[in-house]
Amino acid sequence: MSITIKDVAKLANVAPSTVSRVIADHPNISGETKERVREAMKELGYHPNFIARSLASNSTQSIGLVMPSSADKALQNPFFPEVIRGISKGAHEKKYSLHISTGESLEEIFDGVVQMVQGRRVDGIILLYSRFNDKIIDYLLDQSFPFVVIGKPYKYKKEITYVDNDNVQASIDVTEYLIKLGHKRVAFVGGSLNLVVTIDRLQGFKHAILSNNLPYRDEYVKHVEFLKEGGREAITELLSLEKPPTALVVMDDLMALGVLNKLDEMGKAVPDDISVVGFNNVLLTEISRPPLTSVDINIFQLGYQAAKSLIDQTENQNQPVKRIMIPHNLVIRESCYENKQNL
Amino acid sequence: MSITIKDVAKLANVAPSTVSRVIADHPNISGETKERVREAMKELGYHPNFIARSLASNSTQSIGLVMPSSADKALQNPFFPEVIRGISKGAHEKKYSLHISTGESLEEIFDGVVQMVQGRRVDGIILLYSRFNDKIIDYLLDQSFPFVVIGKPYKYKKEITYVDNDNVQASIDVTEYLIKLGHKRVAFVGGSLNLVVTIDRLQGFKHAILSNNLPYRDEYVKHVEFLKEGGREAITELLSLEKPPTALVVMDDLMALGVLNKLDEMGKAVPDDISVVGFNNVLLTEISRPPLTSVDINIFQLGYQAAKSLIDQTENQNQPVKRIMIPHNLVIRESCYENKQNL
DNA sequence: TTGTACGCGTTATCAC
DNA sequence: GTGATAACGCGTACAA
């Protein structure tokens, strides 16, 4: 077996409990023995056994991540690596590690969460998405297990700590940007209506249209599944309208790439014939042709703040429920153009 | 506190050890008491404590993932979500979960690995990349801790179990594909020379050029860091050569996207003026303009097999070292064209 | 300031 | 078949 606290104790001529205290850097312990113990640890190459420590202290120093189902193409979205990078940073700073339980179906994922929680494998959980009727949230609330949602919960907003952007305002900003460029026929291409973020961005879009005295038309709103396939039909439909839009608010950069692709195929030039904006400002926006104007939602910060706030919650009892808003800002590139014909 | 095995034992009128046996589905135990115990578990909503189980059985049922440093932009590569999806599948099938230790620097990552191993937090480790002089591999070998490398190790190949493609052959295939299209001036755009995969693909390229009696020119080989920035200069340099290449073998789809972008900017048409092929066949290849011809390396399978093989290794002692090769195949799209001028 | 003794929730090794 | 009992490695009252 490997080196335990007892071995160290023997070598340093102290009791195991003393070693334990040295590890925890307990205040009242003589500097002398501290040194002696530390030397013994080094000499033996001692490393604490996390499992044993967890059992004794009832804390694992690790946080659970819940991702969308792996069958879901959404995983391919660069949003996730980036948000995980942020979480990593926050976790690492407090010496926490990450635990992922995966599954292909909603049911499998739910079971995974139950195992993490009841099995005491993690101290808290971060939900990397927010969608309607998520059993997981009900379960976590019921267990009063610490968790943070990235995105806005669909209900129990007052009782859940979450980190989000002001997606309504972001959507207003970007839509008004197009309107100020002279666009009067602006369409919205959104993702799954099961995601709360879709609702928020649609709402912002609608608000911007109406408050600028433009007509809000249902046929200018399309909802497609996140990646490629669906988006393409939506574009065909939009452009075959009697009065096709001159600008598109697309809810996600990856979708926007698909849209650019389809437009090119149809012989429409961006931004000359039609303007396009996206959300998230992922790396790909720079590589796209033309470079995509996009709302930077600070994905990294979403993850970083979520981790910090969760750790806060697990380490200090009775933290109040928090709502952390991450600022957004429009990054203007080359996918939008002034609508001179004023259609 | 939560419900333990003892509570179940009491309710079912048996000893804790019996409950434990029921959980493990021990063979010699009467069907009757099995039923009684199971009912008691349900009634109390019992869930085993993983931590305690790990301590007693000295196995965690979770595997550690080592990713490239989070500072590294490489994380943005869709390769990782996909390989993790494969790992997830393999892990989930055997009821394993995933543990990620992260870090920004090489040093932090190394420390994370040491903690995972010495802290007995995981039963085995999967390295998601392979590069030169990786201290982590030396450490794991030294500790004789079970691990699997995705990609080819730079040394100790005989002693390490790894899952890889035949990247040399893949590169030969794709280069010969271009040669057969009539291209005589083919250039190679590779990634970091610290990655073993770069070497393999370059080697295959070189082999294909020479064995087809074409001149191998150093100025036709460029190495750039994975994403955008560097790649662009490389293209400029290649195209300003006296005899510029008519086809490019680009080592990664994401890099290839950047290349397409740059070529477009320079007014070069793909595939009419110049042909481009990539590697990995990620989703983006379909969205790109033109859709990118790419070598499908079966990323999902890389992950899936790595997980299966690692679990095999941890559960059955003395498994022989394995070398698992995942097949590749060329997916032809629209980024290559016959070179009719026969330059 | 340090040592003793017990508990954390399981699994595993004996007995019976 | 089943029940005590001892590990597993560590944290922590309590005692000294």
Side-chain angles (χ1 to χ4, degrees):
Chain A
M1 267 300 110
S2 40
I3 293 103
T4 80
I5 214 171
K6 285 183 191 169
D7 303 319
V8 178
K10 253 176 217 157
L11 182 62
N13 256 324
V14 293
S17 51
T18 306
V19 178
S20 175
R21 282 188 267 255
V22 172
I23 295 171
D25 208 17
H26 206 80
N28 45 357
I29 202 142
S30 83
E32 192 198 343
T33 49
K34 251 183 191 168
E35 264 321 297
R36 210 166 68 244
V37 170
R38 289 212 174 104
E39 268 182 35
M41 297 202 306
K42 257 194 191 150
E43 198 174 324
L44 295 174
Y46 168 79
H47 281 265
N49 182 318
F50 260 94
I51 302 295
R53 175 186 289 207
S54 296
L55 186 58
S57 65
N58 200 22
S59 105
T60 61
Q61 294 277 108
S62 82
I63 72 193
L65 263 37
V66 181
M67 317 238 276
S69 91
S70 64
D72 202 330
K73 294 277 188 204
L75 262 188
Q76 286 282 335
N77 202 303
F79 174 85
F80 292 100
E82 184 65 4
V83 77
I84 289 177
R85 203 167 69 81
I87 293 174
S88 287
K89 180 90 182 303
H92 199 88
E93 282 178 6
K94 298 282 190 174
K95 308 218 176 265
Y96 276 65
S97 57
L98 306 183
H99 191 98
I100 303 187
S101 156
T102 58
E104 293 193 72
S105 64
L106 291 183
E107 208 51 46
E108 275 186 16
I109 292 178
F110 181 76
D111 290 346
V113 171
V114 173
Q115 295 234 338
M116 287 205 278
V117 173
Q118 310 266 13
R120 297 278 175 254
R121 289 188 111 162
V122 297
D123 294 345
I125 282 183
I126 298 180
L127 286 176
L128 298 195
Y129 61 89
S130 172
R131 58 172 190 73
F132 282 99
N133 287 325
D134 199 343
K135 276 169 65 182
I136 294 174
I137 290 194
D138 296 276
Y139 171 74
L140 292 173
L141 278 175
D142 181 58
Q143 299 278 325
S144 35
F145 196 80
F147 73 102
V148 170
V149 174
I150 291 182
K152 186 160 77 182
Y154 77 107
K155 61 179 182 179
Y156 309 124
K157 290 187 192 59
K158 299 270 160 50
E159 295 135 69
I160 296 176
T161 289
Y162 63 94
V163 183
D164 196 14
N165 305 103
D166 185 342
N167 278 305
V168 177
Q169 188 60 48
S171 197
I172 292 177
D173 291 351
V174 77
T175 308
E176 293 199 328
Y177 166 71
L178 290 171
I179 294 174
K180 289 210 175 90
L181 282 179
H183 292 280
K184 292 191 166 26
R185 304 210 304 255
V186 185
F188 179 87
V189 182
S192 164
L193 278 165
N194 284 319
L195 297 173
V196 178
V197 60
T198 304
I199 301 304
D200 280 358
R201 290 183 182 165
L202 176 55
Q203 189 190 326
F205 169 76
K206 192 166 179 176
H207 179 93
I209 295 292
L210 294 176
S211 69
N212 281 275
N213 298 317
L214 292 175
Y216 177 80
R217 323 181 201 198
D218 282 335
E219 65 268 32
Y220 275 10
V221 174
K222 295 285 178 190
H223 288 285
V224 301
E225 288 310 313
F226 244 85
L227 287 189
K228 208 191 134 210
E229 308 84 5
R232 306 173 62 81
E233 303 158 23
I235 300 307
T236 315
E237 286 169 27
L238 282 173
L239 292 194
S240 60
L241 287 174
E242 203 177 332
K243 295 191 165 192
T246 62
L248 304 176
V249 175
V250 185
M251 226 199 76
D252 177 90
D253 287 338
L254 215 48
M255 272 175 52
L257 277 199
V259 168
L260 289 181
N261 185 24
K262 178 65 181 174
L263 288 173
D264 184 68
E265 210 173 79
M266 296 174 75
K268 295 288 179 186
V270 176
D272 299 313
D273 296 337
I274 187 164
S275 293
V276 176
V277 297
F279 279 83
N280 289 12
N281 195 39
V282 297
L283 219 57
L284 289 171
T285 54
E286 300 176 31
I287 313 190
S288 86
R289 269 168 296 147
L292 188 68
T293 291
S294 180
V295 181
D296 187 352
I297 61 169
N298 275 301
I299 302 176
F300 180 88
Q301 278 297 318
L302 284 170
Y304 182 67
Q305 296 298 337
K308 291 232 307 188
S309 150
L310 178 64
I311 293 172
D312 221 50
Q313 212 176 128
T314 64
E315 291 187 345
N316 312 301
Q317 295 300 332
N318 297 355
Q319 285 285 316
V321 169
K322 277 187 206 146
R323 204 189 60 166
I324 299 169
M325 298 306 272
I326 306 295
H328 63 268
N329 63 297
L330 187 61
V331 178
I332 295 176
R333 295 202 179 80
E334 301 162 30
S335 62
C336 301
Y337 208 57
E338 202 171 334
N339 183 5
K340 288 171 184 159
Q341 302 139 55
N342 206 19
L343 290 172
Chain B
M1 265 300 113
S2 40
I3 293 105
T4 80
I5 213 171
K6 286 181 190 169
D7 303 319
V8 178
K10 252 176 218 158
L11 182 61
N13 256 321
V14 293
S17 48
T18 305
V19 177
S20 175
R21 281 188 268 255
V22 173
I23 294 171
D25 208 19
H26 204 83
N28 47 356
I29 203 143
S30 83
E32 191 199 344
T33 49
K34 251 184 193 168
E35 264 322 296
R36 210 166 68 245
V37 170
R38 288 211 175 105
E39 267 181 38
M41 299 202 304
K42 257 193 193 152
E43 197 174 325
L44 294 174
Y46 168 79
H47 281 265
N49 182 318
F50 261 94
I51 303 294
R53 175 183 290 198
S54 297
L55 184 59
S57 65
N58 200 24
S59 106
T60 61
Q61 294 276 107
S62 82
I63 72 193
L65 263 37
V66 181
M67 316 239 277
S69 91
S70 63
D72 202 330
K73 294 276 188 203
L75 262 187
Q76 286 282 334
N77 201 304
F79 174 86
F80 292 100
E82 183 66 4
V83 78
I84 289 177
R85 204 169 67 82
I87 293 173
S88 288
K89 180 90 183 304
H92 199 88
E93 282 178 7
K94 298 280 190 176
K95 307 219 176 267
Y96 275 65
S97 58
L98 306 182
H99 192 98
I100 303 187
S101 156
T102 58
E104 293 193 70
S105 63
L106 291 183
E107 208 51 45
E108 276 186 16
I109 292 178
F110 180 77
D111 290 346
V113 172
V114 173
Q115 294 234 338
M116 287 204 279
V117 173
Q118 310 266 13
R120 298 274 175 256
R121 287 189 111 162
V122 297
D123 295 345
I125 281 185
I126 298 180
L127 286 177
L128 299 195
Y129 61 89
S130 171
R131 59 173 189 73
F132 283 99
N133 287 325
D134 198 343
K135 277 169 65 182
I136 294 175
I137 290 195
D138 295 275
Y139 171 75
L140 292 173
L141 279 176
D142 181 59
Q143 299 278 325
S144 36
F145 195 81
F147 73 102
V148 170
V149 174
I150 291 182
K152 186 161 77 181
Y154 77 107
K155 60 179 181 178
Y156 307 125
K157 289 186 192 59
K158 299 271 159 51
E159 294 135 68
I160 296 176
T161 290
Y162 63 94
V163 183
D164 196 14
N165 305 103
D166 185 342
N167 278 304
V168 177
Q169 188 60 49
S171 197
I172 291 177
D173 291 351
V174 77
T175 308
E176 293 199 329
Y177 166 71
L178 291 171
I179 293 174
K180 289 208 177 92
L181 282 179
H183 292 279
K184 293 191 165 24
R185 304 209 305 254
V186 185
F188 179 86
V189 182
S192 164
L193 279 165
N194 285 319
L195 296 173
V196 177
V197 61
T198 305
I199 302 304
D200 280 359
R201 291 182 183 166
L202 176 55
Q203 189 190 326
F205 169 77
K206 193 166 179 175
H207 179 94
I209 294 293
L210 293 176
S211 68
N212 282 274
N213 299 315
L214 293 176
Y216 178 80
R217 324 181 200 199
D218 282 335
E219 65 267 32
Y220 274 11
V221 174
K222 294 287 178 189
H223 288 284
V224 302
E225 287 311 312
F226 244 85
L227 287 191
K228 209 192 134 208
E229 308 84 6
R232 306 173 61 83
E233 301 158 25
I235 300 307
T236 316
E237 287 169 28
L238 281 173
L239 292 194
S240 60
L241 287 173
E242 202 177 333
K243 294 191 166 191
T246 62
L248 303 176
V249 175
V250 185
M251 224 199 78
D252 178 89
D253 287 337
L254 215 48
M255 273 176 52
L257 276 199
V259 167
L260 288 181
N261 184 26
K262 178 65 180 171
L263 288 172
D264 184 68
E265 209 173 80
M266 295 174 75
K268 296 288 181 186
V270 176
D272 300 313
D273 296 338
I274 187 165
S275 293
V276 177
V277 298
F279 279 84
N280 290 12
N281 195 40
V282 298
L283 219 57
L284 288 170
T285 54
E286 301 177 30
I287 313 191
S288 86
R289 270 167 296 147
L292 188 68
T293 291
S294 180
V295 181
D296 187 353
I297 60 169
N298 275 302
I299 302 176
F300 181 88
Q301 277 297 318
L302 284 170
Y304 182 68
Q305 295 297 337
K308 291 231 307 185
S309 150
L310 178 64
I311 293 173
D312 221 50
Q313 212 177 127
T314 64
E315 291 187 346
N316 311 302
Q317 294 302 333
N318 296 355
Q319 284 285 315
V321 169
K322 279 187 207 146
R323 205 189 59 166
I324 299 169
M325 298 306 272
I326 305 296
H328 63 267
N329 63 297
L330 186 61
V331 178
I332 295 176
R333 296 200 179 81
E334 301 162 29
S335 62
C336 301
Y337 208 58
E338 203 170 335
N339 184 4
K340 290 173 182 155
Q341 305 138 53
N342 207 21
L343 291 172

